[in-house]
Amino acid sequence: MTCIKLAEQGYAILVNCKANMAEALKTLELVKEKGTTGEVLKFDVSNKEEVELVLGGWIEANKDRPIEVLVNNAGIRDDALMVFMNDDQWKNVLGTSLDGFYYVTKLVVHDMLFKRYGRIINVVSLSGIKGMPGQTNYSAAKSGVIGATKALAQEVARRGVTVNAVAPGFIHTEMTQELNEKELKSLIPMQRFGEPEEVADAIAFLASPKAAYITGSVISINGGLYT
């Protein structure tokens, strides 16, 4: 959905996927229906060598097409109480969010600084703000990205680059399909789960020139669920 919203703003879109090429190609077709162009880049954001080879290779081969907007949306859940959590559950969840943010952003931000323009939007989570039992790994990963968002925003602000985050609550996505919606929505003041379009609209605004004076912010999209 975010790719489509950005395509509506006229951006050419780079769609990243780790494994599900079929879904990535479907997204690319929806992007092209909006009258713009795009490509699918297949790599694991948590793997430095893959990021440098694929994304770094694309940047090197397309010096006349600088990336103006970066949306760091990678994240996985592998829930368990910490006393039962194994090392792989910890490392994989943190690696996807934190290492992925670091490897991809470090590659992209250089040209943004040179061009004196850029928008970086990190997708975090309600879990990273309030902490969620059974999600010590996921909460740590997303709160880490929140801290990085605020720090990087201050480092690059003078060069016209903004860095913000959106923190969705319970949104209708694959990651929430197994949750008990009836029980959980009773905790939400708006009494419903959010829709992907509502998150994408916020990202699209932060990616636009209209958001030039917003940086280091975390925008919660959670129907009023804060505590």
Side-chain angles (χ1 to χ4, degrees), residues 100-177:
F101 160 81
Y102 174 73
Y103 296 142
V104 174
T105 304
K106 188 175 181 182
L107 265 183
V108 172
V109 75
H110 183 272
D111 282 348
M112 291 181 173
L113 294 172
F114 181 76
K115 297 288 186 181
R116 301 186 72 93
Y117 183 88
R119 299 283 184 266
I120 299 171
I121 302 101
N122 301 316
V123 180
V124 291
S125 171
L126 172 66
S127 183
I129 295 174
K130 71 185 293 291
M132 301 287 275
Q135 292 188 343
T136 302
N137 50 1
Y138 190 67
S139 294
K142 292 304 184 181
S143 64
V145 176
I146 289 171
T149 297
K150 293 177 178 292
L152 182 61
Q154 296 173 73
E155 294 178 7
V156 300
R158 291 186 181 183
R159 304 291 294 186
V161 179
T162 65
V163 188
N164 293 289
V166 296
F170 293 108
I171 308 295
H172 284 130
T173 66
E174 289 183 4
M175 290 183 74
T176 60
Q177 283 180 349

Side-chain angles (χ1 to χ4, degrees), residues 2-227:
T2 297
C3 290
I4 296 167
K5 292 290 183 181
L6 293 177
E8 289 174 351
Q9 292 185 8
Y11 285 107
I13 306 297
L14 295 177
V15 183
N16 166 245
C17 72
K18 178 181 177 181
N20 197 340
M21 180 62 79
E23 284 300 315
L25 290 172
K26 286 181 183 178
T27 299
L28 183 59
E29 287 305 309
L30 293 172
V31 163
K32 290 180 177 179
E33 288 176 8
K34 297 298 180 180
T36 187
T37 60
E39 299 176 45
V40 174
L41 299 183
K42 186 175 182 294
F43 60 90
D44 178 356
V45 298
S46 69
N47 185 305
K48 180 180 180 181
E49 289 72 26
E50 287 188 24
V51 173
E52 291 180 344
L53 177 65
V54 181
L55 180 58
W58 187 94
I59 292 171
E60 185 65 25
N62 293 272
K63 291 184 177 294
D64 59 331
R65 301 168 66 192
I67 296 173
E68 293 187 349
V69 177
L70 169 63
V71 180
N72 287 307
N73 191 35
I76 60 171
R77 280 177 42 219
D78 194 348
D79 296 352
L81 295 175
M82 189 171 184
V83 293
F84 301 121
M85 189 176 292
N86 61 49
D87 289 353
D88 285 341
Q89 288 175 298
W90 177 262
K91 291 177 181 177
N92 291 340
V93 171
L94 266 73
T96 299
S97 289
L98 283 173
D99 292 348
F101 160 81
Y102 174 73
Y103 296 142
V104 174
T105 304
K106 188 175 181 182
L107 265 183
V108 172
V109 75
H110 183 272
D111 282 348
M112 291 181 173
L113 294 172
F114 181 76
K115 297 288 186 181
R116 301 186 72 93
Y117 183 88
R119 299 283 184 266
I120 299 171
I121 302 101
N122 301 316
V123 180
V124 291
S125 171
L126 172 66
S127 183
I129 295 174
K130 71 185 293 291
M132 301 287 275
Q135 292 188 343
T136 302
N137 50 1
Y138 190 67
S139 294
K142 292 304 184 181
S143 64
V145 176
I146 289 171
T149 297
K150 293 177 178 292
L152 182 61
Q154 296 173 73
E155 294 178 7
V156 300
R158 291 186 181 183
R159 304 291 294 186
V161 179
T162 65
V163 188
N164 293 289
V166 296
F170 293 108
I171 308 295
H172 284 130
T173 66
E174 289 183 4
M175 290 183 74
T176 60
Q177 283 180 349
E178 78 279 10
L179 300 180
N180 187 331
E181 182 174 350
K182 183 177 180 180
E183 178 180 308
L184 289 170
K185 72 181 182 180
S186 66
L187 304 174
I188 304 169
M190 285 191 178
Q191 296 287 292
R192 67 175 178 87
F193 276 23
E195 299 300 330
E197 294 86 349
E198 293 173 303
V199 178
D201 282 335
I203 293 173
F205 172 70
L206 291 173
S208 74
K210 294 179 180 180
Y213 203 55
I214 303 172
T215 196
S217 295
V218 181
I219 297 178
S220 292
I221 308 167
N222 59 23
L225 179 62
Y226 288 98
T227 58

